[in-house]
Amino acid sequence: MAIKFKRKETPYVFEAINEDGATCIIDANPSIGGKNKGLRPMELLASSVAGCASIDILLILGKQKIEPTLFEIDIETKRVEGIPAFFEEIKLIFKVNKEVNQEKLDRAISLTLEKYCSVSASLKESVQVIYEVNLI
Amino acid sequence: MAIKFKRKETPYVFEAINEDGATCIIDANPSIGGKNKGLRPMELLASSVAGCASIDILLILGKQKIEPTLFEIDIETKRVEGIPAFFEEIKLIFKVNKEVNQEKLDRAISLTLEKYCSVSASLKESVQVIYEVNLI
């Protein structure tokens, strides 16, 4: 993995580009001059957890021929007060269509978070990742 | 912080949306069906470190009336072999215009990584974040 990261606009609009040319815009909080052109770094960090977990969960379910028609996550976080305001907890609230077997879904999520997800594993000494499932 | 995260396209194209409506597309590695529509989760994680650090570094330099005209980072990573393949190391190679005082830049970077950056702090028990500076 090699990423090119550069300031695209002042004060805090950045672009990250991967080796295949895919890009991501990152911006700062409007309170310090952000322009809402992209997610903020801590939002991106939380989203990377959801993204990594989702891929592994869908891979596990796919092997069991389970293909959700609804797959969404509400991400909620707890940060410590002060500077740096790092994450204490990232909560993933899964919303999946009710035809999916809850036990198999639970098993896929817990396997992913405990064993497969490289992003969670990169955070695991510092941040607690918890989840909840809503079948809709 | 509250983020809505949803599957946008099968198999692994996701969208994260923050409370101000800013978005980010996340995709998987093409080897498992990714379409290169967005960064992959581990790339996003590394980019969030660069983004968070950049904002804090530019804030610190700005207070000293130092405004780089070039501000780029090459991001290199080391991951463990196996599953999960979490990060052992994220290296930020800063490329900044040579008119910027190297000592002040070094001080801003080390202060940021040790003290201010919330993303680095969220990772710090698990991942080593190191850096190098090239004045160009």
Side-chain angles (χ1 to χ4, degrees):
Chain A
M1 177 194 310
I3 296 167
K4 297 276 179 193
F5 177 96
K6 57 184 172 187
R7 178 141 77 154
K8 204 175 158 70
E9 285 177 36
T10 58
Y12 306 118
V13 182
F14 303 97
E15 182 175 46
I17 309 171
N18 77 5
E19 289 167 286
D20 296 314
T23 64
C24 171
I25 301 293
I26 304 167
D27 202 346
N29 193 307
S31 66
I32 57 164
K35 302 172 182 177
N36 282 327
K37 294 205 171 176
L39 296 198
R40 300 164 207 167
M42 288 292 273
E43 293 174 340
L44 218 59
L45 174 58
S47 300
S48 73
V49 175
C52 188
S54 295
I55 293 167
D56 285 333
I57 291 163
L58 290 168
L59 269 169
I60 293 170
L61 293 176
K63 285 181 185 161
Q64 302 169 73
K65 312 286 181 211
I66 298 170
E67 182 54 50
T69 53
L70 172 73
F71 190 88
E72 297 184 5
I73 303 172
D74 289 341
I75 308 171
E76 295 177 354
T77 61
K78 282 187 193 157
R79 295 172 68 165
V80 299
E81 303 269 342
I83 295 173
F86 56 87
F87 283 136
E88 286 177 299
E89 183 184 284
I90 297 174
K91 184 174 186 181
L92 306 177
I93 302 167
F94 291 90
K95 298 194 285 188
V96 177
N97 58 298
K98 64 180 185 320
E99 292 74 19
V100 171
N101 180 291
Q102 175 145 18
E103 201 177 313
K104 289 180 178 171
L105 178 60
D106 262 327
R107 174 92 182 127
I109 297 171
S110 62
L111 257 179
T112 290
L113 294 179
E114 284 158 25
K115 201 167 167 186
Y116 292 113
C117 172
S118 298
V119 173
S120 303
S122 299
L123 287 166
K124 77 172 172 192
E125 302 298 330
S126 317
V127 185
Q128 196 181 15
V129 179
I130 61 173
Y131 73 93
E132 188 181 301
V133 175
N134 294 319
L135 292 180
I136 293 171
Chain B
M1 179 193 312
I3 296 167
K4 298 276 179 194
F5 177 95
K6 58 184 172 187
R7 178 142 77 155
K8 203 175 158 72
E9 285 177 37
T10 58
Y12 306 117
V13 182
F14 304 96
E15 182 176 46
I17 308 172
N18 76 5
E19 289 167 287
D20 296 313
T23 64
C24 172
I25 301 294
I26 303 169
D27 202 346
N29 193 308
S31 66
I32 58 165
K35 303 172 180 177
N36 282 327
K37 294 205 172 178
L39 295 197
R40 300 164 207 166
M42 287 291 274
E43 293 174 340
L44 219 57
L45 174 58
S47 299
S48 74
V49 175
C52 188
S54 295
I55 293 167
D56 285 332
I57 292 162
L58 289 168
L59 269 170
I60 293 170
L61 292 177
K63 285 181 187 162
Q64 301 170 72
K65 311 287 178 208
I66 298 170
E67 182 53 52
T69 53
L70 172 73
F71 190 88
E72 297 183 6
I73 302 172
D74 289 341
I75 307 171
E76 295 177 355
T77 60
K78 282 187 193 159
R79 295 172 68 165
V80 299
E81 304 271 341
I83 294 173
F86 57 87
F87 283 136
E88 289 177 298
E89 183 184 286
I90 297 174
K91 184 175 185 179
L92 306 177
I93 302 166
F94 291 90
K95 297 193 285 188
V96 178
N97 58 299
K98 64 181 185 324
E99 292 74 19
V100 171
N101 180 293
Q102 174 144 19
E103 202 177 313
K104 290 179 178 171
L105 177 60
D106 262 326
R107 174 93 182 129
I109 297 171
S110 61
L111 256 179
T112 290
L113 294 178
E114 285 158 25
K115 200 167 168 186
Y116 293 113
C117 173
S118 298
V119 174
S120 304
S122 298
L123 289 165
K124 78 173 172 190
E125 302 298 329
S126 316
V127 185
Q128 196 181 15
V129 179
I130 61 173
Y131 73 93
E132 188 180 299
V133 175
N134 294 319
L135 292 179
I136 292 169

